Structure formats: structure tokens, C-alpha cells
Amino acid sequence: QVQLVESGGGLVQAGGSLRLSCAASGRTFSSYAMAWFRQAPGKEREFVATINWNGDANHAESVKGRFTMSRDNGKNTVYLQMNSLKPEDTAAYYCAAGPLLTGWASDYVYWGQGTQVTVSS
């Protein structure tokens, strides 16, 4: 099994930046596709970004150009750099791992506990 722990969330004003981290332990980290999802109260869990074993990332259209996902296999950690934050980015952000690189939450097997990001207007 894989354990995932997110950190780095907090409160920031619109236009500001945050960097989220997800530390992984357990099975070989580099063998999994990794993803970030987010979920606001009353809404479906939403795809944010995915990254493959060698660091090629794909980002949702809603965050493209503002968010950047990266991966450090040596540290067993993935990151989400979030710039130009908007109030609509407010959500709990979750790190996920799975055998396939997809944008669907149901395809991921392992999940972190989430870290809250709140963007004030």
C-alpha cells in the first residue's frame, strides 16, 4: 500500500501563491501515476493535474498557466505550485496515486487526507 500526506495549504488573498506538497511512503513511488484533485463543499471532486513517472505533467484547463505539478522521485514527493490564485480555487486539495494516468478520481487507488486552500477576494 501507499500512504500519502499533503501539506502546504492555507489562507491567501486573490492573486497570491501557495505550494502544496504530497509526501508518499510504502511501495515504489516512481511506479505510480500521481494526481491532484480538489473538492469544494457540495461539489464533485475535480481533476487538477496528473504527472507520470518521468515528470511529464498534464493540467486541467481551469488551472493551466497558473498551476504547475512536479515530481521529485528522490524525495518521494509531488508538488503543486499554485500562482495567480482565485477565490474559485478555494477547496480541499487531495493527492492521489494509481496505476494509470487519468483525470478521473474513480481511477485512483490511494488518497491523502487533503489540505485546505482558501483564497479570499
Side-chain angles (χ1 to χ4, degrees), residues 29-35 50-53 71 96-102 108:
F29 177 71
S30 61
S31 67
Y32 288 92
M34 301 293 294
T50 60
I51 195 163
N52 70 6
W53 66 272
R71 181 172 191 158
L100 299 174
L101 194 151
T102 78
Y108 287 84

Side-chain angles (χ1 to χ4, degrees), residues 12-59:
V12 65
Q13 290 189 328
S17 297
L18 286 172
R19 189 192 193 201
L20 306 184
S21 298
C22 173
S25 62
R27 287 180 169 269
T28 303
F29 177 71
S30 61
S31 67
Y32 288 92
M34 301 293 294
W36 287 98
F37 290 82
R38 65 187 183 185
Q39 188 167 24
K43 298 185 68 176
E44 296 285 327
R45 191 160 294 189
E46 177 188 13
F47 165 73
V48 176
T50 60
I51 195 163
N52 70 6
W53 66 272
N54 67 351
D56 295 328
N58 183 45
H59 303 87

Side-chain angles (χ1 to χ4, degrees), residues 20 34-40 44-51 57-70 79-83 85 88-96 102-105 108 111 117:
L20 306 184
M34 301 293 294
W36 287 98
F37 290 82
R38 65 187 183 185
Q39 188 167 24
E44 296 285 327
R45 191 160 294 189
E46 177 188 13
F47 165 73
V48 176
T50 60
I51 195 163
N58 183 45
H59 303 87
E61 291 296 326
S62 60
V63 305
K64 192 172 295 183
R66 300 188 298 119
F67 292 9
T68 302
M69 187 176 185
S70 60
Y79 305 93
L80 186 68
Q81 178 66 46
M82 305 185 295
N83 299 323
L85 282 161
E88 64 199 61
D89 296 318
T90 295
Y93 282 71
Y94 295 90
C95 180
T102 78
W104 297 94
Y108 287 84
W111 292 85
V117 172

